[in-house]
């Protein structure tokens, strides 16, 4: 033993040990390091470990390895994201070659890549008759293919994915073990000989149907509804230009007016129907392939009624490319029954929703919907963050980092969960509304999956302040330290954490949405919060207005219009043509509620103001089929070029400024009586709200020196309002922050809750279970 030590010490040369942390597993990082070592003439090894990738390189001559480290950063594979690189001197071992070693098991905290669209190299091979994977719908390599939806555990190796049951043939195995090959250590590697295969079945009988993907395309053209299995679940697919097929699909999904997403073969297939900017094209063509909301050019009946945008994505799985060869445009909507999670297995009842099933036998470990984005001022605005972006991590500023693990559960609607460990937050995919039982099971499934995947042992759990949310009750049952944070403060904190603000940097947080449980027990929603990561105070808010019927007020916009009119001349109701489709008995009942103050809780909600104005403008349906339908119709109408605004009033309250829109409502009614169209009314309304933000921000700057404004909450999914507000604020010298990598809606609550818990831990507060 001593002789061996002496011989190692006597060996000349240099060596270093490198740990690379980040998204470095499942993205071709080890073969990249292998090739890099060969280029530099270094010996040693590389392997996956629980905390990333470990590299040992050595040279028989003195070397500082600086050029190698620089190349690691600058030439990394396209899907790799390096968060940290550490290196230290190591013993020179006299290695004779460079090897990719077997993964080292141990405590895991390493990031996994999201699912990535098929790359151009694979697409080219799939269309090459000479290639052995010609027209193979599961072609992939280290630069593309499934990741998050197939992984069971980390480190990311084939036995820990749903590909474990597919034994590689000799040709695939040769590619897998050849460092010069693009599929070197590509865990989902497969071919027609040894990999998954596609099946086409009749949905009702379960019998196989001959013809495969070409036959499936023919069935779509004949008006049939197909369930097509992708990366994160099934799509329901039909011909969008066949009104009968679209109507049939809407009946199956119980979706009367909610927009349906489309998948286009290529950019050429969508240009007839939508406008597409250069930035929007970049989003469509990116490896993440989200659904992008694009402005209509020519409407397609029944796809997105009453709205001015259509959601379109490009193919991201090889199967999609093959299917769309002969059908250039299809509806591709999530295969779920109303308000339930996307289905990932045929056994979940997919046959009830379609005529035929185009499935395959590669299991999906974690279901994930398609992501949905808009482009605002050349940057993405997430409507839904899921497939393609999850589970990319969010780094936490050093001043907030803690050694404790944290679990945050979000809110109730549009929920996500987040975990914190070792200075990073990982936020789950969109989970839906937890008042639906299947979504609650999905929520629990995701809590378990992320906890196991990243080996998180939470020191504390964080939930919303609302006492009756499912997430609050779930947190209480865990038996660990439980923190609760006010809904709108969490919205603001999410923006501060994403943009890396220091804990003591004060901002004016503008948090506008439909509902959040307030500290005073009322329903908040039109909030201006002055604060930082250490706390907040309510600087201003919308005037409290009753919600006649409680939750029904959010479903039936005309109720909110009546609520805003209660202080005005009752005679105005006699000319209210916007009430023509409402039962007079219901109107009388709501007016009685308002007069007596029964079943009408008070709210400062911005979302309900949108509902009221949409109803008064004659745009809102009698009842919303989906959340924010009335508000989305109002946004779609705001196409006038007028710069006019409606009057509003800001007054000093006991603890905060209050903003009244009573005069605005009166002027909207007068505009209607004068014959002013919905387009002008909506545009003036949007202009007015943007002006309110600037007005309140000006007061905060004048009195307190606040020059940074953070915009968050579901209302800021409104592209027109967000754009106007940012332009006004920046024009007056304010720094404006808004979510870029996350959605401003309730999906971001869990991220803000993590920030809250970290700030409490840093402040040294006692967290008692």
């Amino acid at each position: 033993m001593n002789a061996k030590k002496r011989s190692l010490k006597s060996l000349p040369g240099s060596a270093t040990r490198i740990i690379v942390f980040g998204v470095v597993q499942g993205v071709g990082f080890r073969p990249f390091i292998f090739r890099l070592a060969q280029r530099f003439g270094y010996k040693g090894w590389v392997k996956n470990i629980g905390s990333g990738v470990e590299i040992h390189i050595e040279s028989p001559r003195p070397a500082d390895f600086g050029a190698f480290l620089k190349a690691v950063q600058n030439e990394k594979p396209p899907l790799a994201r390096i968060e940290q690189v550490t290196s230290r001197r190591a013993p020179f071992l006299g290695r004779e070659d460079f090897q990719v070693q077997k993964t080292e098991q141990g405590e895991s905290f390493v990031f996994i890549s999201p699912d990535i669209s098929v790359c151009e190299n694979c697409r080219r091979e799939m269309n090459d008759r000479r290639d052995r994977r010609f027209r193979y719908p599961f072609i992939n390599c280290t630069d593309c293919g499934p990741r998050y939806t197939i992984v069971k555990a980390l480190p990311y190796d084939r036995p820990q994915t749903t590909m474990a049951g597919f034994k590689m043939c000799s040709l695939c195995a040769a590619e897998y073990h050849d460092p010069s090959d693009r599929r070197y250590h590509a865990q989902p590697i497969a071919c027609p000989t040894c990999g998954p295969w596609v099946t086409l079945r009749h949905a009702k009988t379960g019998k196989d149907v001959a013809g495969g993907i070409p036959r499936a395309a023919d069935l779509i053209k004949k008006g049939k509804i197909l369930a097509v299995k992708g990366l994160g679940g099934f799509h329901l697919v039909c011909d969008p230009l066949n009104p009968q097929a679209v109507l049939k699909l809407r009946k199956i999904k119980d979706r009367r007016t909610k927009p349906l997403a489309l998948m286009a073969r290529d950019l050429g297939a969508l240009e007839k129907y939508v406008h597409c900017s250069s930035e929007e094209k970049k989003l469509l063509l990116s490896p993440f392939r989200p659904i992008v909301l694009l402005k209509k050019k020519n409407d397609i009946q029944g796809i997105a009624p009453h709205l001015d945008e259509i959601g379109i994505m490009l193919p991201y799985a090889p199967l999609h490319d093959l299917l769309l060869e002969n059908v250039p445009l299809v509806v591709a909507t999530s295969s779920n029954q109303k308000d339930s999670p996307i289905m990932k297995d045929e056994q979940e009842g997919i046959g009830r929703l379609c005529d035929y099933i185009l499935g395959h036998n590669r299991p999906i470990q974690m279901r994930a919907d398609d992501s949905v984005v808009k482009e605002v001022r050349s940057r993405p605005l997430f409507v839904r963050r899921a497939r393609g972006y999850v589970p990319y991590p969010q780094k936490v500023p050093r001043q907030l980092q803690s050694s404790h693990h944290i679990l945050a559960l979000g809110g109730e609607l549009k929920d996500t969960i987040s975990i914190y460990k070792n200075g990073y937050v990982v936020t789950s995919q969109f989970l839906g509304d937890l008042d639906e039982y299947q979504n609650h099971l999905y929520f629990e499934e995701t809590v378990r999956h992320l906890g196991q995947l990243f080996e998180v042992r939470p020191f504390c759990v964080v939930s919303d302040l609302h006492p009756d949310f499912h997430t609050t009750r779930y947190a209480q049952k865990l038996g660990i330290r439980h923190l609760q944070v006010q809904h709108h403060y969490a919205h603001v904190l999410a923006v501060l954490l994403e943009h890396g603000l220091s804990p003591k940097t004060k901002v004016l947080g503008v948090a506008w949405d439909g509902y959040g449980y307030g500290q005073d027990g009322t329903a908040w929603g039109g909030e201006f919060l002055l604060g930082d990561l250490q706390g907040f105070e309510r600087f201003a808010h919308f005037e409290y207005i009753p919600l006649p019927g409680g939750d029904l007020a959010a479903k039936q916009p005309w109720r909110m219009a009546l609520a805003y009119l209660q202080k005005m001349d009752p005679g105005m109701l006699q000319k209210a043509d916007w009430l023509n489709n409402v039962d007079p008995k219901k109107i009388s009942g709501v007016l009685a509620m308002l007069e007596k103050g029964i079943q009408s809780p008070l709210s400062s909600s911005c979302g309900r103001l949108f509902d009221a104005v949409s109803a008064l403008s004659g745009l809102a349906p009698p009842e919303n089929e989906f959340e924010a339908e009335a508000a989305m119709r109002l946004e779609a109408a705001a196409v006038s070029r007028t710069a006019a605004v409606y009057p509003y009033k800001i007054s000093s309250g006991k603890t905060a400024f209050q903003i009244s829109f009573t005069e605005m409502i009166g002027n909207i009614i007068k505009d209607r009586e004068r014959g002013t169209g919905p387009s002008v009314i909506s545009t003036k309304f949007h202009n007015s709200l943007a002006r309110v933000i600037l007005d309140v921000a000006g007061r905060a700057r004048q009195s307190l020196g606040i020059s940074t404004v953070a915009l968050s909450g579901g209302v800021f999914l409104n592209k027109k309002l967000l754009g106007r507000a940012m332009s006004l604020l920046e024009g007056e010298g304010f720094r404006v922050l808004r979510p870029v990598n996350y959605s401003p809606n309730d999906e971001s609550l869990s991220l803000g809750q993590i920030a809250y818990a970290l700030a409490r831990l840093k402040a040294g507060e006692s967290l008692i279970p």
Side-chain angles (χ1 to χ4, degrees):
M1 186 72 175
N2 291 337
K4 186 176 181 180
K5 283 185 178 181
R6 283 196 301 271
S7 64
L8 287 176
K9 287 182 180 179
S10 65
L11 288 173
S14 306
T16 189
R17 189 70 51 86
I18 304 167
I19 303 293
V20 185
F21 177 65
V23 182
V24 291
Q25 293 192 15
V27 293
F29 200 81
R30 288 179 297 170
F32 158 69
I33 294 297
F34 181 94
R35 292 189 291 271
L36 200 62
Q38 284 192 323
R39 191 175 94 199
F40 278 86
Y42 295 151
K43 312 301 182 184
W45 44 260
V46 60
K47 64 181 176 182
N48 283 342
I49 59 174
S51 58
V53 169
E54 185 177 71
I55 307 162
H56 175 91
I57 52 173
E58 57 185 40
S59 170
R61 295 174 297 279
D64 64 4
F65 304 106
F68 181 90
L69 288 168
K70 187 175 181 180
V72 169
Q73 292 279 8
N74 296 340
E75 302 176 28
K76 62 184 180 295
L79 302 183
R81 290 192 178 187
I82 295 176
E83 294 291 334
Q84 186 179 23
V85 177
T86 59
S87 63
R88 58 182 173 82
R89 291 183 63 183
F92 180 78
L93 303 177
R95 302 283 300 197
E96 295 181 354
D97 57 9
F98 193 93
Q99 296 179 348
V100 176
Q101 292 190 345
K102 188 176 179 181
T103 292
E104 179 180 297
Q105 299 295 330
E107 182 174 348
S108 175
F109 188 60
V110 65
F111 303 124
I112 182 71
S113 166
D115 301 287
I116 297 298
S117 169
V118 58
C119 69
E120 288 307 313
N121 285 328
C122 284
R123 189 173 276 117
R124 187 163 44 251
E125 290 173 349
M126 184 176 68
N127 292 308
D128 184 352
R129 292 182 176 276
R130 298 165 299 178
D131 194 279
R132 69 190 190 90
R133 292 185 177 89
F134 176 59
R135 300 189 64 78
Y136 183 56
F138 303 98
I139 190 170
N140 68 84
C141 68
T142 54
D143 293 333
C144 68
R147 299 291 192 276
Y148 176 65
T149 54
I150 65 168
V151 67
K152 295 180 178 180
L154 294 174
Y156 177 71
D157 283 312
R158 191 178 180 97
Q160 309 211 84
T161 73
T162 61
M163 287 296 295
F166 296 92
K167 184 179 180 180
M168 285 182 275
C169 67
S170 60
L171 292 177
C172 283
E175 292 172 327
Y176 183 87
H177 292 103
D178 180 358
S180 65
D181 196 281
R182 202 176 78 253
R183 294 186 174 87
Y184 183 51
H185 283 251
Q187 306 309 334
I189 187 173
C191 75
T193 301
C194 65
W197 62 86
V198 165
T199 55
L200 179 63
R201 293 192 181 95
H202 193 283
K204 302 300 183 288
T205 66
K207 292 183 178 179
D208 288 347
V209 177
I213 295 173
R215 175 63 174 150
D218 289 338
L219 290 168
I220 292 170
K221 287 189 281 188
K222 291 178 180 179
K224 301 300 182 182
I225 311 296
L226 269 69
V228 179
K229 189 175 181 180
L231 295 182
F234 283 90
H235 286 121
L236 294 180
V237 174
C238 74
D239 181 357
L241 304 181
N242 184 329
Q244 290 75 29
V246 173
L247 181 60
K248 180 180 179 180
L249 178 59
R250 285 194 172 279
K251 287 181 178 178
I252 288 172
K253 291 201 66 169
D254 190 20
R255 180 185 284 192
R256 298 185 307 278
T257 57
K258 191 173 182 180
L260 300 170
L262 304 181
M263 183 181 286
R265 178 169 58 202
D266 50 32
L267 292 177
L270 58 83
E271 62 183 7
K272 176 181 177 181
Y273 304 103
V274 292
H275 299 277
C276 192
S277 69
S278 59
E279 292 299 325
E280 288 166 337
K281 288 178 182 177
K282 288 179 184 177
L283 286 169
L284 284 166
L285 292 167
S286 72
F288 317 116
R289 294 293 168 102
I291 296 170
V292 182
L293 297 180
L294 302 170
K295 186 174 178 58
K296 288 179 180 177
K297 183 187 296 183
N298 292 301
D299 200 10
I300 303 176
Q301 181 184 342
I303 297 302
H306 310 293
L307 304 179
D308 64 341
E309 296 174 321
I310 301 177
I312 303 183
M313 60 185 149
L314 297 181
Y316 55 84
L319 188 153
H320 297 150
D321 282 274
L322 296 171
L323 182 65
L324 268 68
E325 282 183 348
N326 297 310
V327 191
L329 191 67
V330 297
V331 171
T333 185
S334 299
S335 62
N336 58 333
Q337 293 179 311
K338 193 171 184 178
D339 298 326
S340 296
I342 186 172
M343 293 184 181
K344 68 182 182 71
D345 300 312
E346 292 185 31
Q347 295 77 13
E348 293 177 329
I350 191 67
R352 297 193 300 269
L353 305 180
C354 61
D355 298 312
Y356 293 87
I357 302 169
L358 184 63
H360 58 74
N361 61 335
R362 184 177 66 200
I364 296 172
Q365 178 67 19
M366 176 50 61
R367 68 190 83 221
D369 263 303
D370 297 310
S371 294
V372 183
V373 300
K374 301 181 182 184
E375 179 268 320
V376 179
R377 295 161 62 97
S378 300
R379 304 188 81 181
L381 175 67
F382 278 88
V383 178
R384 182 171 72 201
R385 180 178 178 270
R387 192 262 313 149
Y389 296 91
V390 173
Y392 275 142
Q394 171 66 49
K395 189 173 184 177
V396 171
R398 186 173 296 276
Q399 309 98 299
L400 273 182
Q401 292 180 13
S402 170
S403 60
H404 293 296
H405 301 178
I406 302 169
L407 169 65
L409 302 178
E412 185 82 349
L413 305 179
K414 293 180 169 57
D415 196 47
T416 65
I417 68 160
S418 289
I419 58 168
Y420 167 83
K421 181 178 177 181
N422 295 1
Y424 290 86
V425 183
V426 174
T427 299
S428 76
Q429 67 275 26
F430 163 86
L431 302 175
D433 301 346
L434 300 190
D435 53 0
E436 205 286 329
Y437 177 68
Q438 292 298 326
N439 284 335
H440 195 271
L441 295 180
Y442 184 21
F443 159 83
E444 293 181 335
E445 173 187 326
T446 306
V447 171
R448 289 192 299 271
H449 183 67
L450 287 186
Q452 293 169 3
L453 199 62
F454 296 105
E455 297 188 1
V456 172
R457 295 176 290 278
F459 170 76
C460 63
V461 60
V462 198
S463 71
D464 192 85
L465 194 62
H466 198 297
D468 295 324
F469 276 1
H470 289 87
T471 45
T472 304
R473 294 171 179 171
Y474 184 89
Q476 291 168 344
K477 293 178 182 178
L478 291 180
I480 60 176
R481 300 159 184 84
H482 179 203
L483 295 174
Q484 293 179 265
V485 55
Q486 200 280 322
H487 187 97
H488 300 94
Y489 182 40
H491 269 307
V492 176
L493 289 177
V495 182
L496 303 191
L497 184 62
E498 179 183 346
H499 289 274
L501 268 66
S502 65
K504 294 183 179 180
T505 300
K506 287 195 177 296
V507 305
L508 178 68
V510 185
W512 287 3
D513 61 8
Y515 171 80
Y517 190 80
Q519 288 182 317
D520 58 2
T522 63
W524 290 10
E527 308 306 313
F528 294 83
L529 307 181
L530 183 67
D532 53 26
L533 284 156
Q534 298 179 324
F536 80 97
E537 60 182 282
R538 206 177 183 195
F539 185 73
H541 60 85
F542 287 12
E543 180 183 27
Y544 283 110
I545 297 293
L547 303 175
D551 288 345
L552 273 177
K555 296 179 180 178
Q556 299 173 349
W558 58 269
R559 289 175 178 260
M560 288 310 304
L562 291 180
Y564 272 96
L565 290 176
Q566 66 168 327
K567 297 180 181 179
M568 304 175 71
D569 182 3
M572 290 182 174
L573 293 178
Q574 297 176 4
K575 302 178 182 179
D577 58 344
W578 49 273
L579 284 170
N580 289 347
N581 294 324
V582 181
D583 185 342
K585 292 182 180 179
K586 290 184 178 180
I587 296 172
S588 299
V590 168
L591 291 173
M593 278 184 197
L594 291 167
E595 183 179 348
K596 297 176 182 178
I598 58 173
Q599 294 183 325
S600 300
L602 295 176
S603 173
S604 61
S605 170
C606 182
R608 301 293 76 78
L609 173 62
F610 267 86
D611 287 345
V613 174
S614 185
L616 292 169
S617 304
L619 296 167
E623 184 161 341
N624 286 331
E625 182 198 344
F626 55 93
E627 186 183 14
E629 180 178 10
M632 290 168 67
R633 292 190 185 192
L634 186 64
E635 178 188 0
V639 294
S640 169
R641 295 188 177 184
T642 181
V645 297
Y646 286 116
Y648 54 87
K649 182 180 179 182
I650 300 179
S651 57
S652 298
K654 291 182 180 179
T655 57
F657 290 108
Q658 293 189 27
I659 305 155
S660 171
F661 296 100
T662 302
E663 194 174 352
M664 172 192 284
I665 297 296
N667 277 264
I668 289 173
I669 292 173
K670 290 177 183 177
D671 269 355
R672 284 296 306 273
E673 291 173 349
R674 287 192 288 263
T676 304
S679 173
V680 173
I681 292 173
S682 178
T683 303
K684 289 171 67 176
F685 172 70
H686 282 78
N687 293 344
S688 304
L689 288 189
R691 182 64 60 175
V692 167
I693 294 172
L694 179 63
D695 198 340
V696 175
R699 294 170 188 243
R701 181 164 63 182
Q702 183 177 11
S703 60
L704 300 163
I706 302 298
S707 59
T708 300
V709 179
L711 306 176
S712 193
V715 167
F716 289 107
L717 287 173
N718 185 315
K719 181 175 180 175
K720 294 169 183 175
L721 174 61
L722 179 61
R724 284 170 168 81
M726 293 185 71
S727 294
L728 286 177
L729 289 165
E730 290 173 352
E732 293 296 322
F734 286 95
R735 179 190 182 193
V736 185
L737 306 176
R738 59 97 166 169
V740 176
N741 297 316
Y742 297 87
S743 175
N745 68 23
D746 283 5
E747 290 182 35
S748 66
L749 289 177
S750 64
L751 180 67
Q753 290 169 354
I754 292 286
Y756 179 80
L758 288 170
R760 301 287 79 73
L761 287 167
K762 276 297 175 183
E765 294 183 12
S766 175
L767 303 179
I768 302 174

